[in-house]
Amino acid sequence: MFQLFQRPTCPLLRDSSEIPYKTLIIPTSVKSSTATLGNSLCENLIFESPSSLESLSEFGGVNIQSVEIPESVIRLESGAFWNCRALTTIIIPANSKLNYIAPYSSHVSGALGGCNNLAIVKCYKKLPPPCYKGAFCSYSGTVLLPPSLPINAKLYVPKGCKAAYAEYDGWALFEIIEMDE
């Protein structure tokens, strides 16, 4: 296990590619992830609770299979989980403050660009966080690639909220299923 921060003022590691850690722990004191944290060996991303993280970015290339976005996160920035090819599941809690999932911009992939195996998103929020197709686009060099999700990708939403989610073309890429919970 590798804790990225020893003290609240300690910056994120800039080049973590040579550190053979399997777990990243994000302490409660961190408000924004702004350094490149990509590490193909990382399999677990743990946000200490209660999280004060408001913005997620630069977790591109990590080998995590699932992530629960902390309730405190307001923004998933461009490239936040870019090219996380092992990522199959994202959970967004009911009390989540998430209100922005970045699309691609000026040669920067969308927040979830290149997450080719993202099969399940469980969003417990009644009011959908805006999500457009561009959030799932990525760049290969200077070429913008279209969204590439599994054919059977599913978005689980609260009962009675399917139509609200379907209004966003990013969420419409998924089969939208209402949860009984």
Side-chain angles (χ1 to χ4, degrees):
M1 198 168 342
F2 183 75
Q3 186 161 353
L4 289 177
F5 309 89
Q6 303 302 320
R7 300 170 309 230
T9 57
C10 183
L12 292 172
L13 295 172
R14 286 246 164 233
D15 181 12
S16 56
S17 60
E18 295 180 20
I19 300 172
Y21 54 83
K22 297 277 186 185
T23 300
L24 288 175
I25 299 173
I26 311 299
T28 59
S29 59
V30 177
K31 290 192 181 239
S32 177
S33 65
T34 57
T36 301
L37 297 176
N39 182 320
S40 61
L41 299 175
C42 179
E43 296 174 356
N44 302 297
L45 189 56
I46 298 172
F47 300 96
E48 287 184 346
S49 186
S51 177
S52 58
L53 197 61
E54 296 174 352
S55 173
L56 278 178
S57 63
E58 303 296 338
F59 287 98
V62 295
N63 200 32
I64 57 173
Q65 293 181 0
S66 68
V67 64
E68 182 168 345
I69 306 298
E71 290 179 357
S72 61
V73 170
I74 298 168
R75 299 172 60 92
L76 287 184
E77 303 293 352
S78 294
F81 290 102
W82 170 78
N83 212 26
C84 289
R85 294 184 181 180
L87 185 61
T88 60
T89 306
I90 295 175
I91 298 169
I92 303 170
N95 295 327
S96 172
K97 294 179 182 175
L98 185 63
N99 67 16
Y100 180 75
I101 301 173
Y104 67 89
S105 63
S106 186
H107 300 292
V108 178
S109 296
L112 300 166
C115 295
N116 303 357
N117 293 305
L118 182 58
I120 297 172
V121 174
K122 288 188 177 182
C123 191
Y124 293 92
K125 286 182 63 138
K126 290 189 177 187
L127 183 63
C131 184
Y132 301 97
K133 281 183 185 178
F136 301 98
C137 293
S138 61
Y139 279 95
S140 176
T142 58
V143 177
L144 179 65
L145 303 175
S148 58
L149 296 170
I151 292 172
N152 59 349
K154 293 175 176 48
L155 169 65
Y156 293 91
V157 301
K159 194 165 191 85
C161 298
K162 182 176 181 176
Y165 277 83
E167 289 182 22
Y168 292 99
D169 64 0
W171 293 134
L173 294 170
F174 294 82
E175 176 187 351
I176 302 175
I177 301 169
E178 292 185 337
M179 297 182 279
D180 290 329
E181 303 170 18

